[in-house]
Amino acid sequence: MSLPAIIRSEIDPAAIAKVTRLFNNTLGDVLAELLQNARRAGATVVDLEVHTIGDDVWLSVNDDGAGIADPAVILALGRSGWNDDIAKREDPAGMGVFSLAGRDVEVQSCANDEGAGWIVRVAADAWEARSPVAVALLNRSRGTTIRFQLDMRWKESLDAAAKSAALYCPLPVRLRGISLHQEDWLAGAEVVVEEAGVRIGLFNDLRATRFSPCVNFHGVIVATALPSVGEKRRNWWARVDIVDAPDLQLVLPARKEMVENAALDALRDRVRCVIYRHIQSLGTHRLAHEQWREAAALGIALPEAEPLLRPWSPATADPHNCSAASGERIASEDHIIVDSFEPAFEQCAAFALGKHGGYEGRLAEPDDTMAGYSWYNCLPHIAVLRFEIERDGATAILDPGEFPGLDSGTV
């Protein structure tokens, strides 16, 4: 068998026959794709209109954007037809209309102000059969209308899908002539920073998980791993609103997750910097020493964490059914850290130290996250507990290395 001298990447025409399986066939995803195209076309509003023709229900998606000059692009998988500026800034995939593959679809558009437009109708079976589709001239206003049939499932989900697709979309959307509710993706943030083509909003609560929905990609909400920074009683996490960041991309065709690339790594570093700069602006913090060093490595100088530790309370043999230690931390320059011991020794220590009275308000639990700060490293520790037990004129020694065989009784 002879081998070719060179090979090139190409798309097998047979792949077109599988196009109906590229998308997950939900109305919400279809509307998200079409709204993206309308936004790129510079539309000022998108109207969703429902039409009943006989027993069939159709949805029209109308925009007043730049329109489509060449009708061939709507059936050219991967060819977007956008101008060089849009192609460079957003890297569109050319898959918008293909989200409707396998359905009866009508597309009409006009790319000029003279009303010279066109219309095509693609039958459901023409997508995979690659059948020729006729193009007819049409007199209409500038913009694009995409109309497709709603089956029972899509008809029932229309209102919810439209509301979801419009909620964080950057342009107004109307359904049956009524404007749909829209919100700022970063509403409620303590601070919003815009830089490098993104808006970063910081939140202080415990809602975020590693893969919470956190990125608004022009109305498409996706989850990705963004940094969060937890302090004592403060938890900083971020949401990101994409404005103009062409190197931040979505995995195609599903558009459910971010492409893991250098731009996303840079965004994560930017989020860390925004968090630490905000903490810096607050003046004080309770960051772990490791986080403090991370901020320093990013060029953000922070003071040392406040010298606060949790008051010490003796351990019990039944930790699940005992009163938890006070959540209030004590501020003192003369903390004494009580290292961890067995409950029997800690209970004895609490009794003895309480009678002594000289350490009241100074005893604190160890906190390894503070190790490294100068104030923590210089604190004294109670590192050994040793007791002399006197009974009936005799003295026995009790320490972790020696446990006398005493009968139970009053000490």
Side-chain angles (χ1 to χ4, degrees):
M1 181 183 72
S2 61
L3 297 175
I6 59 173
I7 59 174
R8 294 184 177 89
S9 62
E10 62 177 330
I11 297 177
D12 193 313
I16 300 298
K18 303 172 184 175
V19 71
T20 56
R21 283 170 274 172
L22 290 178
F23 299 89
N24 70 358
N25 209 31
T26 67
L27 180 57
D29 287 342
V30 169
L31 291 178
E33 286 291 327
L34 300 184
L35 291 177
Q36 290 287 311
N37 281 348
R39 177 189 58 81
R40 294 188 185 110
T44 62
V45 66
V46 175
D47 278 295
L48 308 178
E49 297 291 345
V50 180
H51 309 278
T52 301
I53 303 175
D55 295 331
D56 299 328
V57 178
W58 293 72
L59 178 67
S60 292
V61 181
N62 312 290
D63 72 64
D64 60 353
I68 303 170
D70 181 5
V73 301
I74 68 172
L75 294 183
L77 182 62
R79 195 170 109 208
S80 67
W82 296 105
N83 61 39
D84 292 342
D85 181 55
I86 293 292
K88 181 179 180 181
R89 284 173 45 239
E90 298 203 23
D91 189 29
M95 294 187 176
V97 177
F98 272 89
S99 63
L100 290 164
R103 295 178 178 272
D104 292 324
V105 178
E106 177 186 284
V107 182
Q108 51 177 275
S109 188
C110 178
N112 55 67
D113 294 324
E114 300 173 1
W118 52 265
I119 182 172
V120 299
R121 294 181 176 88
V122 186
D125 57 1
W127 295 93
E128 294 189 349
R130 301 177 64 207
S131 304
V133 177
V135 180
L137 296 178
L138 178 71
N139 186 40
R140 57 156 290 153
S141 59
R142 185 179 181 183
T144 301
T145 298
I146 299 175
R147 189 172 68 160
F148 50 93
Q149 191 173 344
L150 299 178
D151 57 25
M152 184 58 67
R153 180 164 55 91
W154 279 19
K155 181 181 175 182
E156 292 175 349
S157 65
L158 173 59
D159 284 23
K163 290 176 182 178
S164 177
L167 185 58
Y168 299 112
C169 184
L171 73 161
V173 181
R174 295 188 294 233
L175 175 62
R176 303 183 186 93
I178 300 175
S179 296
L180 295 176
H181 175 68
Q182 293 181 296
E183 294 180 6
D184 182 355
W185 176 239
L186 305 184
E190 286 207 6
V191 63
V192 176
V193 175
E194 184 168 349
E195 58 182 48
V198 299
R199 296 170 66 228
I200 300 172
L202 293 190
F203 299 81
N204 174 23
D205 57 41
L206 298 175
R207 286 183 295 167
T209 61
R210 178 171 170 78
F211 288 100
S212 294
C214 52
V215 177
N216 178 22
F217 200 92
H218 307 294
V220 177
I221 307 302
V222 297
T224 193
L226 290 181
S228 61
V229 174
E231 300 182 65
K232 309 293 184 183
R233 296 193 172 182
R234 292 196 302 205
N235 184 61
W236 301 105
W237 59 280
R239 279 181 169 179
V240 173
D241 201 10
I242 305 295
V243 179
D244 186 9
D247 293 330
L248 292 170
Q249 302 164 347
L250 298 181
V251 176
L252 300 174
R255 297 168 65 86
K256 298 292 187 183
E257 58 185 318
M258 303 289 290
V259 174
E260 290 287 341
N261 58 13
L264 184 56
D265 290 338
L267 174 62
R268 289 170 177 145
D269 286 340
R270 192 167 294 113
V271 168
R272 288 188 185 91
C273 287
V274 169
I275 292 174
Y276 286 128
R277 284 200 299 266
H278 180 61
I279 292 174
Q280 183 186 52
S281 72
L282 299 177
T284 60
H285 67 85
R286 293 287 296 139
L287 292 170
H289 185 257
E290 181 179 354
Q291 296 168 319
W292 183 80
R293 293 181 58 190
E294 181 181 59
L298 293 170
I300 302 168
L302 298 172
E304 289 198 350
E306 292 182 281
L308 301 175
L309 293 174
R310 194 185 301 277
W312 177 76
S313 61
T316 68
D318 185 8
H320 299 293
N321 293 286
C322 67
S323 298
S326 169
E328 296 298 327
R329 288 169 171 80
I330 53 175
S332 172
E333 295 181 358
D334 61 349
H335 286 112
I336 298 175
I337 296 176
V338 182
D339 288 345
S340 297
F341 302 94
E342 291 295 325
F345 290 93
E346 292 199 13
Q347 290 292 323
C348 290
F351 180 74
L353 293 171
K355 289 191 68 174
H356 182 277
Y359 302 104
E360 185 176 356
R362 299 177 60 193
L363 300 179
E365 293 185 350
D367 186 347
D368 293 339
T369 66
M370 297 291 110
Y373 288 123
S374 60
W375 62 267
Y376 187 87
N377 290 348
C378 69
L379 292 177
H381 288 240
I382 294 180
V384 176
L385 293 178
R386 179 175 179 272
F387 301 94
E388 293 181 358
I389 301 174
E390 296 180 3
R391 194 176 76 173
D392 299 332
T395 300
I397 303 299
L398 174 64
D399 64 33
E402 182 178 353
F403 199 95
L406 298 176
D407 294 332
S408 178
T410 302
V411 176

